[in-house]
Amino acid sequence: MGRQDALKVLSAAVCAATAGAAQCLVVTGEAGIGKSRLLAETARGAAAQGMAVAEGRATELDRLSPLVTLVTALGNGTPPVLDEPDRVELAARSAVPYRQTSLLTERIAAYTRSRPLLIVLDDVQWADEATALLVRSLVPALRDARVVWLLAGRPLPEASAMRVAVEGLVESGARSLALGPLSDEAVEELTAHTLGARPGGGVRALAAGAAGNPFLLQELLRALREQGRVLVEDGVARVTPGALPEDFRAQVARRWRHLSPAARQLTEAGAVLARPFAIHEAAGVTGVPVREMTAATEEAIAQGHLVAEGPLLRFRHDLIREAVYDNLATPVKHALHREAGSVLAAEGRPAAESATHVAWGARRGDAQVLRVLRDAADSIVGVAPGVAADLLMRLVELGDPGDPDRPDNVCRALSALSFSGRMDEAMEMAEAELAAASNPTALATVRHGVAAALKFAGRTPEVLTLVDLALADRGVPVLNQAQLWSLRAHTLVDGGLSAGEDPGCEAADAAGAEAVRLGGAAEEPAAVTSGLTARSRAALAAGRVEEAVVLAERATGIAEQSGGEARWHAPRRWLGEALAVSERFAEAEAAFDLGQREAERLGVPWAVPRLRGHRARLWLAAGRITEATAEAEATLNSAVSLGTPPTAQASRTLLARLAILRDDLSSARSLLAAAHRLADSGVRVADDELLLADVLLREAQARSDRDAADRGDGLWAILPEWIRPLCYEPGLGPELVRIALRAGLPEQAERAAAASRLLAVRSPRLASAQAAALHVDALLSGSPEELRRTVGLWRSAPRPLALARALEDAAKVTADRDEALALWEEAFTVYGTAGAVRGAARARQELRALGVRRRMPRSADRQAEGWGSITPSEMRVVRLVTDGLTNRQVANRLFLSRHTVDAHLRNVFAKLGVSSRVELARLMAVHLAEGDTPGPDVAEGAAVRGS
């Protein structure tokens, strides 16, 4: 795209934002192509229109300082978006990315209520991982704010933290602008402007060598003038004969050699530091006194190498810095990096920055350097796993092959690589280390690390193969055996079905028991805790719900008592899951909340989206579809940003099921297609959930009874041996029987019924399991009396969607019109309160056939507008928002998640046709002055929800 066209697009985005339309644009192009100038012109135009501008530019070493790129930008506005207390609070939340997102969303949203904002981030190819993660989350979170995001950088390499973020933003609607070379006309115009005359044929021929890159073109013309080879006659610039000008790197080297020794040393130090630097830092790196550096600074600025940026110096262009650095001899680079590491450590710079310099200047076997690298990696692995992986890989490279700590260092590196999505590099390192392992302990440790990395990526078959290979070795220490058995147990629960193993979870339970036994023998609480949680999960998947709770409680107790690594296994996550399935919903929610706070405190960010995913499933069980959807969407965003494919797949599958309930089949199809693509790429976990969603979508799209199911659907083949989906939601048993009967598949219906009966036998105290067992038999027999009894049993269980389905089934077979009408009315209300549009529409249609007309429930009617469409939950949020509370404060006041509040507010904006809080407050004032009250359907829904 040409610069003028790009400038028009950017200017249009700025104008749109002033009217309340949030925008995100990504500008890419090679170094020197003119991105920074385009951004500067856009920023000037925005400021001229009264828009606030927050500008930041990443440097090569910004990737070592979590969030520095974004925080610097937000601190540069006038007034700044973030003040010093905000920065302190943001730093305090560094282990919890989503809480940082919450704070920044709140601050930016509040800022843009008074004026629109342009956020400019340049050179994002060097942005740190935390900035990439937050930008990916902030752009959609601020879709209703008056903000324009303008991101610019070179084409993003595979290893860039921003690549996944930018790809996700573009998929979600951000516009991508690729700047190409200057046109021939633009090259001629720039040449004429630079030389002050129209270029002749010889000048044009040489200018073509810059390949349309404006920076390199200007440097070429500058070199020609310096050589005295440009002559202007009759308004035409001609070039005298002679050798071709040097390439850019050679030009920089020639000019650099003409500097004084102190000025050369200054630029050498700046090239190594790779970011804006202070004079005293360069003096410390080179050993040149500061007073000599002062004169050298003036010389380097005068010669066009450096420019002043407040109290700091930076290169006039990164291409100049790269050329200076590339011209340094390797021994000189290593020596300067080593000195830079010492200077920056003394300056209190981030540990990862000084450690990176130390690593480049290190010698093999330097114990002090190895400690520095390991400590620095440990300090940032939770927020910058990619940087931690680089440090740990360098640690392994510098370590002695016989170092007893080497296997553990390799495992740490593999974990960081997998966490940052660099599985190819992880496997390459793993192959080399496995081949070099010199004893059983080292081999078992590395195999465990490789298998754990593969499990993180969801590659179940490879995990099981590697673990079994490691356990087959003789001489493996007891602790390593315990860790391997625990990993095997968890892997079997997650993906044993996809690997063709353990449909009844007996092997998973046995592996967990062996981990507990060996962990106890090794006196290692972490191994015992992990084994117990695996056994709890296996019991849950097999339908032994009470046993699952007991085992999870034991694991949690041991972790609390021992502390340390045992808590990293997040036992409260599994306790909350077991409590949720046992229908102790309040206790489950408390366990998830406490587990989330513990994960945040321990700096285990990967656990947070998984906990939120469990909470989304809990809301679905409780019939709170809006909250479940908001929580599942937040889980998916976090999983994608953090690079955890199994969690992303589970979130998409759950969101697809929620979309079916809302009768949004287009979204369901898209989500399941993405989940299947992940499965096809090797992410093989929770295949049963994917098979279930496929069956439910097929039924929802069916045009006739025969289309409702197919005997080839994979779900039927795993029933009744594999019953985990029914453990989470016992109401699925009757649903599957109903689908199979509708499609004329009696054998499949009996398989689903047998699964429900098995769950009832294994969990005799679970009210839903007993209700489901009676329900499937009633559906198979068609007995009206049994279906009435089923309704009574479901009333004693806290699962409203299953109750609504039982009400439908009973209504269909009753001969009494009044009884049928009452059953359909109740089903309609329950579905509407839950937000289950599809179910409410079925009930509404049956009511109409009985001569009763009902409007779709307000909470389920996506087309409703005006104050009458606002639900009680939404109205509570509106009242607090218009009282001046932020979304976070509203969430705390109402005991909701931030994403649920965001979802409610988006719905309200759509229903009332507003785009800002200011407009909402104005409408609310008018609404209250007119004395409006919620309609009868809303009031009725509130009463049902509160009962």
Side-chain angles (χ1 to χ4, degrees):
M1 175 177 285
R3 280 135 200 81
Q4 290 302 317
D5 290 337
L7 185 59
K8 289 178 182 177
V9 171
L10 299 181
S11 299
V14 166
C15 293
T18 61
Q23 304 276 317
C24 179
L25 301 102
V26 181
V27 180
T28 58
E30 66 181 37
I33 204 69
K35 301 182 297 296
S36 297
R37 181 172 179 179
L38 181 64
L39 266 58
E41 291 180 19
T42 303
R44 280 195 295 272
Q49 295 183 45
M51 196 173 198
V53 179
E55 297 180 87
R57 171 182 290 177
T59 64
E60 191 167 353
L61 288 190
D62 275 5
R63 56 191 288 273
L64 306 175
S65 303
L67 218 55
V68 65
T69 305
L70 183 58
V71 169
T72 299
L74 296 177
N76 284 341
T78 305
V81 179
L82 297 180
D83 55 23
E84 189 56 33
D86 291 331
R87 293 179 182 228
V88 172
E89 185 175 355
L90 204 59
R93 301 181 180 193
S94 60
V96 195
Y98 91 93
R99 289 202 181 277
Q100 291 183 316
T101 303
S102 174
L103 176 64
L104 289 176
T105 301
E106 183 179 311
R107 295 295 186 270
I108 295 172
Y111 190 95
T112 57
R113 287 182 204 122
S114 58
R115 62 190 304 190
L117 173 66
L118 172 65
I119 300 175
V120 180
L121 301 180
D122 199 1
D123 284 331
V124 295
Q125 73 274 4
W126 288 322
D128 60 278
E129 290 172 87
T131 290
L133 171 62
L134 263 67
V135 167
R136 176 68 181 90
S137 301
L138 286 169
V139 171
L142 289 162
R143 63 172 69 101
D144 298 322
R146 295 187 297 167
V147 60
V148 176
W149 296 85
L150 183 49
L151 316 176
R154 304 179 191 180
L156 295 166
E158 289 288 343
S160 168
M162 263 290 179
R163 185 180 180 109
V164 173
V166 166
E167 288 177 349
L169 291 172
V170 171
E171 279 183 15
S172 302
R175 183 163 184 183
S176 180
L177 310 176
L179 288 187
L182 295 175
S183 65
D184 292 342
E185 294 78 9
V187 168
E188 182 150 349
E189 182 180 343
L190 179 57
T191 303
H193 176 77
T194 303
L195 299 180
R198 180 166 50 86
V203 172
R204 282 198 296 271
L206 287 175
N213 185 301
F215 177 77
L216 295 181
L217 174 60
Q218 289 177 306
E219 290 297 308
L220 170 68
L221 298 174
R222 179 178 176 179
L224 289 171
R225 285 192 304 194
E226 286 179 353
Q227 294 172 12
R229 295 182 55 196
V230 177
L231 299 178
V232 177
E233 298 177 349
D234 299 327
V236 178
R238 294 183 170 83
V239 63
T240 61
L244 289 174
E246 305 151 314
D247 65 20
F248 174 71
R249 187 167 296 162
Q251 291 177 42
V252 172
R254 176 175 53 79
R255 293 182 190 138
W256 177 72
R257 283 194 295 272
H258 290 140
L259 295 173
S260 67
R264 285 202 302 272
Q265 289 175 305
L266 173 68
T267 56
E268 288 174 352
V272 167
L273 288 168
R275 58 163 177 78
F277 60 96
I279 294 176
H280 73 273
E281 290 177 330
V285 171
T286 60
V288 176
V290 171
R291 62 180 178 274
E292 294 183 29
M293 281 292 182
T294 302
T297 299
E298 294 176 354
E299 180 185 353
I301 291 174
Q303 292 296 318
H305 286 276
L306 303 177
V307 295
E309 194 173 71
L312 303 178
L313 297 170
R314 67 171 177 84
F315 281 87
R316 181 166 57 87
H317 197 284
D318 278 317
L319 288 172
I320 297 176
R321 184 194 68 77
E322 291 167 7
V324 171
Y325 185 83
D326 290 343
N327 279 315
L328 294 175
T330 299
V332 174
K333 288 179 184 176
H334 284 189
L336 291 176
H337 274 299
R338 191 176 184 89
E339 292 301 318
S342 300
V343 168
L344 295 176
E347 287 282 313
R349 296 289 299 175
E353 184 176 350
S354 58
T356 297
H357 286 294
V358 168
W360 279 110
R363 295 181 294 274
R364 179 180 290 278
D366 188 326
Q368 181 179 356
V369 169
L370 298 181
R371 282 195 300 273
V372 168
L373 290 175
R374 181 158 173 161
D375 291 345
D378 287 346
S379 70
I380 62 169
V381 68
V383 291
V387 176
D390 291 338
L391 294 174
L392 289 165
M393 291 173 73
R394 183 65 172 158
L395 168 65
V396 172
E397 180 184 341
L398 293 171
D400 184 78
D403 184 351
D405 290 334
R406 184 181 181 88
D408 186 49
N409 291 334
V410 170
C411 289
R412 289 169 178 263
L414 293 173
S415 176
L417 285 167
S418 62
F419 192 28
S420 55
R422 295 157 62 181
M423 286 303 300
D424 290 342
E425 293 175 74
M427 292 303 100
E428 183 179 347
M429 170 181 270
E431 289 176 7
E433 292 300 322
L434 287 172
S438 57
N439 58 70
T441 301
L443 187 59
T445 301
V446 175
R447 279 175 171 164
H448 180 265
V450 177
L454 288 167
K455 184 178 186 303
F456 190 85
R459 290 161 58 173
T460 295
E462 294 110 306
V463 176
L464 294 173
T465 298
L466 197 59
V467 168
D468 289 346
L469 186 64
L471 287 170
D473 272 0
R474 295 182 178 181
V476 176
V478 171
L479 177 57
N480 293 99
Q481 291 183 50
Q483 293 169 333
L484 289 164
W485 280 112
S486 172
L487 182 58
R488 189 176 203 281
H490 280 281
T491 304
L492 283 170
V493 176
D494 284 329
L497 188 65
S498 65
E501 298 189 30
D502 200 24
C505 281
E506 291 91 349
D509 183 64
E514 188 67 2
V516 172
R517 184 184 72 80
L518 293 170
E523 297 183 347
E524 178 48 65
V528 175
T529 299
S530 184
L532 285 170
T533 57
R535 289 199 66 199
S536 172
R537 299 183 63 208
L540 202 61
R544 300 189 301 274
V545 177
E546 292 85 356
E547 180 184 340
V549 173
V550 171
L551 288 165
E553 287 175 338
R554 280 181 58 195
T556 303
I558 291 172
E560 287 181 346
Q561 184 176 7
S562 61
E565 187 181 344
R567 291 194 173 189
W568 277 65
H569 293 281
R572 287 195 182 278
R573 169 189 172 195
W574 307 120
L575 174 59
E577 183 182 50
L579 290 168
V581 173
S582 66
E583 299 176 349
R584 294 155 65 177
F585 288 174
E587 294 175 72
E589 185 177 359
F592 292 145
D593 290 343
L594 190 55
Q596 186 167 316
R597 288 197 294 272
E598 192 168 73
E600 293 166 359
R601 186 173 65 254
L602 294 173
V604 192
W606 57 264
V608 174
R610 298 182 184 183
L611 282 157
R612 303 191 75 173
H614 288 309
R615 191 182 288 111
R617 190 185 288 275
L618 173 63
W619 294 155
L620 171 57
R624 296 164 62 175
I625 292 175
T626 299
E627 290 91 335
T629 301
E631 204 70 28
E633 286 174 347
T635 303
L636 177 59
N637 289 336
S638 296
V640 170
S641 299
L642 290 171
T644 53
T647 306
Q649 182 171 3
S651 301
R652 287 191 174 98
T653 305
L654 180 58
L655 281 167
R657 290 194 47 210
L658 290 164
I660 293 170
L661 290 170
R662 299 194 315 272
D663 205 22
D664 184 0
L665 302 189
S666 174
S667 294
R669 284 191 293 270
S670 176
L671 287 159
L672 284 182
H676 277 290
R677 285 195 296 272
L678 269 178
D680 293 340
S681 71
V683 180
R684 304 308 304 272
V685 295
D687 279 9
D688 53 341
E689 300 285 344
L690 195 52
L691 294 173
L692 169 65
D694 285 339
V695 169
L696 295 176
L697 180 60
R698 178 194 288 274
E699 191 273 339
Q701 296 179 135
R703 296 184 178 181
S704 67
D705 289 349
R706 287 288 175 181
D707 296 333
D710 188 286
R711 67 180 66 255
D713 289 334
L715 182 67
W716 309 117
I718 65 175
L719 299 173
E721 288 80 9
W722 183 258
I723 64 172
R724 181 170 65 175
L726 275 62
C727 300
Y728 290 120
E729 298 172 63
L732 286 172
E735 182 73 9
L736 293 173
V737 169
R738 192 181 299 108
I739 291 171
L741 291 176
R742 180 184 168 194
L745 301 174
E747 180 183 346
Q748 284 70 18
E750 181 52 42
R751 282 179 171 274
S756 285
R757 297 185 196 109
L758 184 59
L759 175 61
V761 170
R762 291 177 176 175
S763 294
R765 298 180 183 177
L766 190 64
S768 294
Q770 304 310 310
L774 177 62
H775 198 164
V776 296
D777 287 338
L779 286 169
L780 290 172
S781 68
S783 166
E785 184 57 36
E786 286 190 7
L787 286 170
R788 290 192 190 92
R789 286 180 54 212
T790 296
V791 169
L793 283 180
W794 278 118
R795 291 193 196 282
S796 66
R799 297 182 184 268
L801 294 176
L803 168 62
R805 264 305 201 176
L807 290 163
E808 282 193 72
D809 291 333
K812 288 176 182 177
V813 298
T814 184
D816 187 302
R817 181 185 181 282
D818 291 339
E819 181 183 359
L821 182 60
L823 291 168
W824 283 119
E825 286 271 20
E826 185 178 355
F828 178 74
T829 301
V830 173
Y831 279 132
T833 301
V837 175
R838 188 171 183 81
R842 284 196 308 268
R844 183 190 186 202
Q845 185 175 2
E846 295 292 342
L847 286 169
R848 180 171 293 181
L850 291 171
V852 177
R853 292 186 174 272
R854 288 286 183 267
R855 289 184 299 167
M856 287 293 287
R858 299 303 188 185
S859 60
D861 187 355
R862 292 175 293 165
Q863 304 302 316
E865 298 178 353
W867 286 106
S869 68
I870 305 300
T871 69
S873 297
E874 291 167 350
M875 182 59 77
R876 287 193 291 271
V877 170
V878 169
R879 290 184 183 277
L880 293 177
V881 165
T882 54
D883 282 344
L885 273 67
T886 64
N887 285 19
R888 183 178 59 161
Q889 291 168 331
V890 172
N892 292 337
R893 181 78 64 85
L894 298 179
F895 303 101
L896 300 172
S897 76
R898 261 291 316 281
H899 291 277
T900 299
V901 173
D902 292 344
H904 282 327
L905 208 52
R906 285 197 301 271
N907 290 339
V908 169
F909 280 11
K911 290 175 179 180
L912 299 182
V914 299
S915 59
S916 72
R917 289 168 175 253
V918 175
E919 293 178 82
L920 177 62
R922 179 180 57 78
L923 282 183
M924 182 64 168
V926 173
H927 172 66
L928 293 176
E930 294 174 351
D932 289 345
T933 57
D937 286 346
V938 175
E940 181 183 33
V944 171
R945 183 178 291 275
S947 61

